[in-house]
């Protein structure tokens, strides 16, 4: 031990250098592995925390998976909106009873009902305060989504005279808008009890038809005007006039309708899956006991036997739109004549022909009309509409494009019995179509209790009776990083993907509008029970797929699943496998561990949106990738650290060849020499480990690593083990040296002299003359650059594997610091090893340098010689490492370099250049020190 301490005191510089190397290597290894472990733990924790979504398995009808979904492993965010049936109730019941299933929640889309309402616009500020009678007109423009639509003109008639009620003598015709006015002989016959009905003709009969071919315009009656030749999108058809009596206050009720998607669910399963019961805002929750019912004739309102189904209604329309209207004050002429002009069959022509003066503009949100509709207690199901899915294709740049559908046919909006156009069809249906829309007309036996003749065997269509209302914002929350489509309650999240589209959308999301064939369809806003399906689907005149297979999707939560651990994955896969085995044609998607993956979708050449599709299996891919990357990081950092110390220890032994030879001549055995060298390394390792413990604790605290104190204690044993492991080969080589071999100069002469014409040429010759030393110096740097190349490729591959989904992006952001730290320190350690070998080499060749100085070489030439050797060594190691790193990455396969080959190769070359610059800069210190020593001293030392 005394000999060891004495040797360390005598060679303090070399001992301190070796201690510094052990300190750097041990501390770096401990910190890097701790950082990698922390990064992995953070990543795994993030994945496990967000891996569980609302459901684990999604079951859809046969052929429901699109080519895009199949090729890319994605699930459309609006898959449910275009699916109306395909799974039978027997299939659902059998799946619900399978082992391992905790909740099986079905959704059976029935169809879109049209709910009529009005949007009230206050135009009081535009009134003429002096006029006794006046008419205001608004000309609205609807803005919804990416389109704008001109809607029908709407009017308000305001009179200071009272509007009274009255009925015809036979009590058949009644009105609440009767008013006295100046009598025109030609209009006298249209009076009712001496007054004119100022609203009937404009609102209910614009036809100006004659009565019984007598060339006399029809008087007010209950027979509806003939609209069989009119289009549902005829603006005049939907023009309305409000007739009001008063002063200073006037409103216009704009008629609107809302498509309400009616879907059937299992109340108990839905409550367990998403907590629907907790979202009820009024009334009550649906229950298993809620079934269709029929009222007896004594209590029926609409017929002999009225049928009803129970339902919940959303408190929000989930569709968007804004009306902006110009307001005009019309020039009506003599106000006294207005009642007679409005109270006869030419009222519509008269009002439309009036000149107007623009007095301002108004705006109103369409959602206000939907809230009015909530006051209704029943909804008619006379007609409902279903829509098909959106068809996608991949574009050349990897995005998605939507295939447009033909415009809606006029027959789509025709009422069932009278072949009259449906009133107040949303104007958006005239816009671009991305889905096929189908009308389902009901039977012609409403209120009869049974159907015969052409509708024999079918059922009368029921009415909807609301039992409660719910707010989708109150539903149980799920992690945004693992969100799966909850189209039963959420609208698809669609935003503009380019500045032009965002400008059209006014930097707001693209929300569903009232266009049934539109791209973003609203989710179900009315829910009924599974027992009510038959009452709806069997009441259609023409049978459809919904008769036999009404269920659109089944969302399954598997029992015992806590995340993406091995046991949970096995349980989910077992359930999915059992469903596939029982029903091979059904589409079964495992959604556990999924995450939203934004996709760019081209709706048209000028409109591009970003939509949150769902990528399946994201969590599992991330865990696999992070395990691979962590293992490679650990091994590469360990190898770089060990090689760095091995080089330093070998250089230390080589610098003591003469001393070792002297000890052998004095009788020391090889074992004693071995113990001496390892003893010195052990003492140096313990000292460096003690200092490294303090340094690692300080650095760990600065980097915010959890458990920095416990991890820093690992530096001491790591330093000792690494020092001994790295010194085994150099100590063994020292023990094998014979007395004469040990004192022989380490640098051998060249076998044949070669003429050298430049300093660079001599540097190359020196590198070739001592190939072992050159390869040893280049090895550390080569490994450092190779490690850099491999780590960079794995990092990019990991990000490519994980990125593209919200969960993956979050994980990539967390893992970035550890990746860069590992890459940088592995490269620095490799370069440090090469520099150490170069410094020892210069000391070994001190005599050669002295001879060159004595023969006339200048300090600058000697410096350039050393610098050229360093550059050559660095380039050899760097380029070799770059090639080796690329070969290692290629051998890993699985597309690690896919899309990153040029980036990784360029980075490897940059790392080589950086290592060369680092080596060159570090050599300036020994070059300057060596130039200050006189040749005589160098030769004397030798």
């Amino acid at each position: 031990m005394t000999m060891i301490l004495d040797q360390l005191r005598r060679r303090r510089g070399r001992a301190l250098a070796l201690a510094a190397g052990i300190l750097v290597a041990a501390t770096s290894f401990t910190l890097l592995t701790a950082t990698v472990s922390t990064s992995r733990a953070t990543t795994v924790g993030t994945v496990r925390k967000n891996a569980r979504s609302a459901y684990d398995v999604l079951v859809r009808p046969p052929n429901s998976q699109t080519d895009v979904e199949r090729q890319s492993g994605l699930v459309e965010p609006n898959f449910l909106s275009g699916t109306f049936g395909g799974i039978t109730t027997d299939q659902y019941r059998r799946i619900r009873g399978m082992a391992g299933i905790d909740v099986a929640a079905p959704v059976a889309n029935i169809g879109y009902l049209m709910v009529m309402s009005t949007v009230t616009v206050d135009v009081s500020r535009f009134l003429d305060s002096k006029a006794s009678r006046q008419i205001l007109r608004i000309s609205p423009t609807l803005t919804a989504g990416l389109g704008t639509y001109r809607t029908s003109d709407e009017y308000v008639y305001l009179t200071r005279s009272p509007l009274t009620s009255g009925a015809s003598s036979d009590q058949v015709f009644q009105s609440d808008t009767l008013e006295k006015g100046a009598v025109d002989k030609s209009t006298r016959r249209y009076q009712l009890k001496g007054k004119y009905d100022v609203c009937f003709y404009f609102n209910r009969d614009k036809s100006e038809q004659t009565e019984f071919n007598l060339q006399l315009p029809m008087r007010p009656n209950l027979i509806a005007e003939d609209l069989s030749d009119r289009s549902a999108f005829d603006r005049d058809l939907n023009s309305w006039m409000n007739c009001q009596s008063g002063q200073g206050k006037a409103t216009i009720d704009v008629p609107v309708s809302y498509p309400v998607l009616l879907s059937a669910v299992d109340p108990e399963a839905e409550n367990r899956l998403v907590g629907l019961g907790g979202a009820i805002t009024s009334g009550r929750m649906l229950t298993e006991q809620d079934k269709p019912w029929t009222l007896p004739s004594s209590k029926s309102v609409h017929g002999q036997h009225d049928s009803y189904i129970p339902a919940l209604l959303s408190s929000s329309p989930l569709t968007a739109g804004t009306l902006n209207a110009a307001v005009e004050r019309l020039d009506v002429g003599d106000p006294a004549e207005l009642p007679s002009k409005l109270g006869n069959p030419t009222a519509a022509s008269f009002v439309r022909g009036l000149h107007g003066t623009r007095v301002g503009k108004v705006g109103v949100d369409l959602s206000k009309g939907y809230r009015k509709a909530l006051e209704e207690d029943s909804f008619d199901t006379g007609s409902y509409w279903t829509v098909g899915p959106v068809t996608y294709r991949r574009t050349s740049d990897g995005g998605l494009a939507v295939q447009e559908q033909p415009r809606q046919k006029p027959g789509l909006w025709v009422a069932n019995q009278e072949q009259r156009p449906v009133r107040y069809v949303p104007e958006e249906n005239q816009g671009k179509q991305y889905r096929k829309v189908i009308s389902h007309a009901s039977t012609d036996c409403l209120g009869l209790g049974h159907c015969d003749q052409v509708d024999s065997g079918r059922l009368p269509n029921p009415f909807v009776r609301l039992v409660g209302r719910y707010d989708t914002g109150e539903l149980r929350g799920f992690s945004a990083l693992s969100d799966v489509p909850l189209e039963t309650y959420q609208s698809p999240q669609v935003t503009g993907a380019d500045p032009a589209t965002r400008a059209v959308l006014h930097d707001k999301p693209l929300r569903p509008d009232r266009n049934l064939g539109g791209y973003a369809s609203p989710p179900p806003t009315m829910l009924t029970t599974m027992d009510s399906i038959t009452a709806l689907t069997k009441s259609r005149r023409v049978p459809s797929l919904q008769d036999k297979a009404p269920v659109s999707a089944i969302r399954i939560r598997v029992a015992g699943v806590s995340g993406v651990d091995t046991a949970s994955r096995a349980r989910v896969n077992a359930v999915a496998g059992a469903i596939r085995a029982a029903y091979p044609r059904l589409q079964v998607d495992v959604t556990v561990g999924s995450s939203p993956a934004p996709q760019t979708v081209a709706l048209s050449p000028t409109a591009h949106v970003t939509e949150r599709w769902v990528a399946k299996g994201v969590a599992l891919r991330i865990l696999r990738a992070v395990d691979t990357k962590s293992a490679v990081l650990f091994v590469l950092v360990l190898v770089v650290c060990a090689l760095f110390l091995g080089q330093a220890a070998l250089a230390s032994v080589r610098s003591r060849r003469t001393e070792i030879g002297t000890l052998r001549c004095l009788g020391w055995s090889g074992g004693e020499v071995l113990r001496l060298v390892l003893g010195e390394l052990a003492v140096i390792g313990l000292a460096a480990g003690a200092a490294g413990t303090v340094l690692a604790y300080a650095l760990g605290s600065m980097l915010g690593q959890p458990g920095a104190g416990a991890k820093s204690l690992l530096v001491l044993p790591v330093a000792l083990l690494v020092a001994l492991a790295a010194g085994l080969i150099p100590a063994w080589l020292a023990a094998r040296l014979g007395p004469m071999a040990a004192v022989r100069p380490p640098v051998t002469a060249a076998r044949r002299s070669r003429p050298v014409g430049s300093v660079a040429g001599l540097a190359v010759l020196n590198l070739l003359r001592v190939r072992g030393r050159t390869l040893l110096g280049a090895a550390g740097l080569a490994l450092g650059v190779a490690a850099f190349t491999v780590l960079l490729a794995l990092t990019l591959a990991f990000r490519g594997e994980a990125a593209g989904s919200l969960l993956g992006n979050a994980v990539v952001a967390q893992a970035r610091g550890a990746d860069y730290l590992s890459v940088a320190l592995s490269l620095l350690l490799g370069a440090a090893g090469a520099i150490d070998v170069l410094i020892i080499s210069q000391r070994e060749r001190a005599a050669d340098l002295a001879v060159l100085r004595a023969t006339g070489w200048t300090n600058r030439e000697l410096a350039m010689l050393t610098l050229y050797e360093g550059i050559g060594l660095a380039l050899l190691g760097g380029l070799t490492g770059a090639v080796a790193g690329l070969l290692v990455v290629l051998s890993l396969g699985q597309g690690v370099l896919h899309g990153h080959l040029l980036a990784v190769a360029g980075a490897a070359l940059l790392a080589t250049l950086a290592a060369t610059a680092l080596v060159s800069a570090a050599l300036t210190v020994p070059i300057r020190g060596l130039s200050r020593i006189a040749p005589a001293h160098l030769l004397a030392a030798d």
Side-chain angles (χ1 to χ4, degrees), residues 472-659:
T472 57
E474 299 296 325
L475 291 174
R476 181 188 305 151
F478 298 95
S479 169
L481 301 182
S482 59
D483 200 13
V484 290
L486 279 174
E487 283 191 283
T488 317
Y489 310 102
Q490 296 177 355
S491 299
Q493 300 186 37
V494 186
T495 56
D498 55 58
T501 306
R502 287 193 290 270
V504 175
L505 292 172
H506 304 289
D507 290 323
K508 296 180 179 180
L510 175 64
R511 292 183 57 193
D513 55 27
R514 300 176 301 160
N515 180 8
L516 295 188
Y519 178 70
S521 290
T525 44
M526 185 181 290
L527 303 177
T528 187
T529 61
M530 298 294 290
D531 290 328
S532 301
I533 294 177
T534 300
L536 292 159
T537 60
K538 294 290 186 180
S539 65
R540 300 306 99 182
R541 173 160 288 181
V542 178
S544 66
L545 175 65
Q546 293 178 313
D547 283 315
K548 297 180 179 179
V551 180
S552 304
I554 306 173
R555 297 149 300 153
I556 295 174
R557 182 186 295 163
V558 179
V561 173
S562 57
V564 289
D565 54 278
T566 303
S568 295
R569 295 201 305 269
R571 292 186 179 99
V572 173
N573 290 333
V575 169
I579 297 173
R580 292 190 184 103
Y583 303 107
R585 297 186 66 244
L586 293 182
Q587 175 62 46
V588 181
D589 291 312
V590 175
T591 58
V592 64
S594 299
S595 179
Q599 302 290 308
T600 300
V601 181
L603 302 183
S604 70
T606 58
H608 298 79
V609 297
T610 299
E611 189 173 21
R612 287 174 60 170
W613 289 48
V614 172
K616 296 181 292 185
V618 170
L620 186 57
R621 293 201 305 270
I622 292 175
L623 292 180
R624 288 199 193 108
V626 75
D627 285 342
T628 301
K629 183 166 69 71
S630 298
V632 174
L633 282 170
F634 183 88
V635 172
L636 286 177
V637 171
L638 178 62
V639 172
V640 170
C641 292
L643 183 58
F644 168 72
L645 290 178
Q647 289 172 331
L650 186 59
S652 177
V653 171
R654 287 173 62 86
S655 67
R656 299 169 58 191
R657 289 170 60 90
T658 303
E659 178 185 331

Side-chain angles (χ1 to χ4, degrees), residues 226-267:
D226 184 7
L227 300 175
S228 58
D229 60 342
R230 305 288 290 272
S231 166
F233 298 111
D234 187 337
R235 291 211 300 265
D236 291 338
L237 180 68
N238 296 326
S239 186
W240 186 264
M241 176 181 287
N242 290 169
C243 298
Q244 301 170 4
S245 177
Q247 181 176 342
K249 179 71 173 177
T251 57
I252 296 179
D253 291 330
V254 181
V256 293
S257 60
Y258 299 90
V260 172
L261 179 54
L262 173 61
S263 298
V265 298
D266 181 324

Side-chain angles (χ1 to χ4, degrees), residues 643-695:
L643 183 58
F644 168 72
L645 290 178
Q647 289 172 331
L650 186 59
S652 177
V653 171
R654 287 173 62 86
S655 67
R656 299 169 58 191
R657 289 170 60 90
T658 303
E659 178 185 331
I660 293 173
T662 301
L663 292 176
R664 294 301 304 274
C665 290
L666 293 176
W668 280 52
S669 65
E672 290 174 318
V673 172
L674 178 67
R675 289 193 294 273
L676 175 65
V677 174
L678 289 180
E680 292 178 5
L681 290 174
V683 172
I684 294 173
L686 288 173
T693 299
V694 177
L695 180 61

Side-chain angles (χ1 to χ4, degrees), residues 41 306 365 373 411 445 486 532 668 705 733 737 843 929:
D306 292 342
D365 192 332
C445 46
L486 279 174
S532 301
W668 280 52
Q705 288 186 357
L733 293 176
L737 285 174
R843 292 182 179 178

Side-chain angles (χ1 to χ4, degrees), residues 41-53:
T42 302
T43 299
V44 172
T46 300
V47 171
R48 288 178 176 172
K49 180 181 178 181
N50 296 281
R52 193 79 191 274
S53 52

